[in-house]
């Protein structure tokens, strides 16, 4: 009789476990390790990832994107060639898909990018413009896009990559036709279209103090003194092991903060010459740890975004042949030493 009773109790327990009853707290209530976003939030920061539309059919990738990060940047879907492929004809479908995904996961969105010399549509680059013509085109593009996303975008990279390495202005169609004033105009037009969005200048190779970051510092100081609505400076932070770590990163972040600007590490990856070795992956992890520490040390460094989180979808191999392995997760979505270094830095 006692054996039968025990069998009955065991069977009932098995049924309860299968139903999710009586087996301790439900899965969502059990202790889960904090995500990178959780850890960053404890410091008042965000931790984000870029993404792009083609990879959103990858469900395991999408699940990790939705759970580990609290900020998203569209890699391509908001650039000019995608959003205004014909003059005056706007298509926001790719950007909308990523914004909708982010909103479903309660993630912030950084808009990227309104004014850039690259990935422009042929109708814009294939003819000569007078200054009044191009000014009208630029204003319409900025304001149409920013109004479309008004209230849905936390911050915009308004002008991207405006300077050369030596600190001179890049000879873009906008600079050559409109002069350097196009930058202030772009910021004003974006602010009119969405007064609550944070507006950034954004560039690469500006992590260390040097000619290029000095040029941005001077420009930012000038724009702020003129009352132009500039709220932040984005440091892309595309690094490469063979070129050395930007040891003045923290000092650089701090001087922009003193101008009253937020800063952010906006497109982070750390590439290496392949094949990846344990030694290179350990050095990469150190760099991810150090850059995170630099951001945490400066109060107005508001967050970090990796330029997609997995080597599976990295832009690096296509642009730098023989290089890669730049991100905290490998091509099989397995965390690398860099991922654990990020956790360590954020703790």
């Amino acid at each position: 009789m006692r054996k039968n009773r025990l069998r009955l109790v065991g069977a009932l327990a098995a049924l309860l476990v299968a139903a999710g009853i009586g087996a301790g707290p439900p899965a969502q209530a059990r202790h889960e390790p904090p995500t990178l976003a959780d850890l960053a939030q404890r410091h008042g920061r965000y931790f984000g990832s870029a993404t792009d539309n083609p990879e959103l059919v990858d469900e395991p990738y999408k699940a990790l994107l939705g759970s580990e990060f609290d900020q998203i940047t569209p890699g391509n879907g908001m650039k000019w060639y995608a959003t205004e492929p014909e003059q005056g004809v706007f298509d926001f479908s790719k950007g909308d898909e990523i914004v909708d995904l982010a909103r479903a996961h309660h993630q912030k969105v950084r808009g990227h990018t309104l004014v850039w010399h690259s990935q422009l549509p042929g109708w814009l680059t294939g003819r000569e413009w007078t200054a009044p013509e191009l000014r009208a085109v630029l204003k319409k593009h900025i304001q149409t896009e920013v109004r479309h996303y008004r209230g849905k975008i936390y911050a915009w990279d308004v002008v991207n990559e405006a300077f050369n390495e030596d600190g001179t202005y890049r000879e873009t169609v906008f600079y050559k036709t409109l002069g350097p004033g196009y930058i202030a105009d772009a910021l004003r037009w974006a602010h009119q279209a969405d007064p609550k969005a944070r507006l950034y200048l954004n560039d690469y190779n500006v992590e260390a103090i040097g000619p290029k970051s000095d040029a941005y510092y001077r420009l930012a100081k000038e724009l702020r003194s003129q009352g132009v609505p500039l709220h932040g400076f984005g440091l892309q932070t595309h690094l490469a092991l063979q070129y050395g770590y930007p040891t003045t990163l923290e000092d650089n972040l701090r001087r922009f903060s003193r101008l009253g600007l937020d800063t952010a590490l906006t497109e982070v990856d750390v590439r290496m010459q392949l094949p990846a070795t344990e030694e290179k992956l350990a050095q990469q992890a150190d760099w991810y740890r150090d850059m995170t520490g630099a951001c945490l040390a400066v109060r107005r460094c508001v967050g970090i975004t990796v330029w997609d989180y997995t080597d599976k979808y990295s832009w690096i191999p296509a642009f730098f042949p023989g290089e890669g392995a730049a991100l905290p997760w490998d091509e099989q979505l397995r965390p690398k030493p860099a991922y654990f270094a990020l956790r360590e830095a954020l703790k």
Side-chain angles (χ1 to χ4, degrees):
M1 185 75 178
R2 187 169 181 275
K3 282 184 179 177
N4 288 340
R5 190 181 300 118
L6 287 171
R7 285 195 195 100
L8 184 61
V9 169
L12 180 59
L15 285 170
L16 290 172
V17 169
I21 304 168
Q28 64 267 29
R30 294 177 198 144
H31 177 71
E32 300 283 353
T35 64
L36 293 179
D38 293 333
L39 294 171
Q41 285 169 13
R42 296 175 187 177
H43 300 276
R45 311 305 204 273
Y46 63 76
F47 202 98
S49 175
T51 192
D52 209 357
N53 302 81
E55 56 222 47
L56 298 182
V57 299
D58 181 340
E59 291 300 328
Y61 163 86
K62 199 162 87 168
L64 196 52
L65 179 71
S67 63
E68 189 75 36
F69 306 98
D70 59 350
Q71 181 270 321
I72 295 289
T73 302
N76 288 295
M78 292 184 179
K79 290 173 179 172
W80 201 319
Y81 82 104
T83 54
E84 195 181 356
E86 299 174 51
Q87 186 172 359
V89 179
F90 289 86
D91 179 0
F92 297 116
S93 56
K94 286 183 166 46
D96 289 350
E97 182 183 18
I98 291 172
V99 168
D100 290 345
L101 179 73
R103 287 166 73 86
H105 293 104
H106 310 289
Q107 294 163 314
K108 292 179 177 180
V109 179
R110 281 186 65 90
H112 177 80
T113 175
L114 296 171
V115 188
W116 189 32
H117 65 275
S118 188
Q119 292 181 265
L120 295 170
W123 65 262
L124 183 59
T125 57
R127 56 159 286 186
E128 295 292 320
W129 300 90
T130 66
E133 285 172 341
L134 187 59
R135 183 178 166 83
V137 164
L138 186 59
K139 181 178 181 180
K140 181 177 181 179
H141 178 80
I142 290 170
Q143 296 207 317
T144 302
E145 183 162 5
V146 175
R147 283 195 189 108
H148 177 81
Y149 290 112
R150 183 171 175 154
K152 298 179 181 180
I153 297 286
Y154 153 73
W156 278 103
D157 292 328
V158 178
V159 178
N160 195 44
E161 301 176 4
F163 286 102
N164 296 311
E165 297 303 303
D166 63 359
T168 58
Y169 280 97
R170 189 187 286 272
E171 295 278 328
T172 68
V173 61
F174 308 109
Y175 178 78
K176 288 190 289 186
T177 309
L178 302 174
Y182 83 91
I183 296 174
D185 286 338
L187 290 161
R188 291 188 182 102
W189 293 331
H191 184 66
Q192 288 168 6
D194 186 354
K196 292 185 178 177
R198 307 292 288 173
L199 305 182
Y200 280 67
L201 305 176
N202 189 57
D203 213 325
Y204 65 92
N205 285 355
V206 292
E207 295 74 35
I209 293 175
K212 196 174 189 181
S213 61
D214 286 348
Y216 274 104
Y217 182 80
R218 288 191 297 271
L219 175 62
K221 192 172 185 179
E222 180 184 332
L223 293 172
R224 296 282 292 174
S225 71
Q226 295 170 354
V228 175
L230 172 65
H231 308 118
F233 181 49
L235 300 84
Q236 292 181 15
T237 324
H238 292 297
L239 304 182
L241 294 183
Q242 63 268 32
Y243 299 130
Y245 182 79
T247 55
T248 50
L249 173 60
E250 184 180 324
D251 292 336
N252 199 26
L253 292 170
R254 206 174 294 283
R255 68 171 175 164
F256 281 94
S257 294
R258 291 194 191 106
L259 294 180
L261 295 175
D262 291 344
T263 55
L265 309 185
T266 57
E267 305 182 21
V268 175
D269 47 32
V270 181
R271 67 186 188 269
M272 63 186 70
Q273 293 172 329
L274 299 173
T277 63
E278 283 188 25
E279 184 182 9
K280 289 176 186 175
L281 291 171
Q283 185 183 2
Q284 179 188 63
D286 288 341
W287 286 25
Y288 271 102
R289 183 188 297 107
D290 290 348
M291 73 174 76
T292 302
C295 181
L296 295 180
V298 179
R299 185 177 60 83
R300 294 198 68 158
C301 182
V302 297
I304 298 169
T305 306
V306 288
W307 204 240
D308 224 319
Y309 69 86
T310 165
D311 295 334
K312 185 176 183 180
Y313 297 118
S314 173
W315 69 290
I316 296 293
F319 285 83
F320 297 96
E323 299 181 43
L327 293 160
W329 280 262
D330 70 14
E331 292 184 3
Q332 285 73 45
L333 307 186
R334 293 177 305 212
K336 292 157 60 177
Y339 168 77
F340 298 103
L342 287 169
R343 296 187 65 84
E344 186 183 315
L346 290 166
K347 282 179 179 176

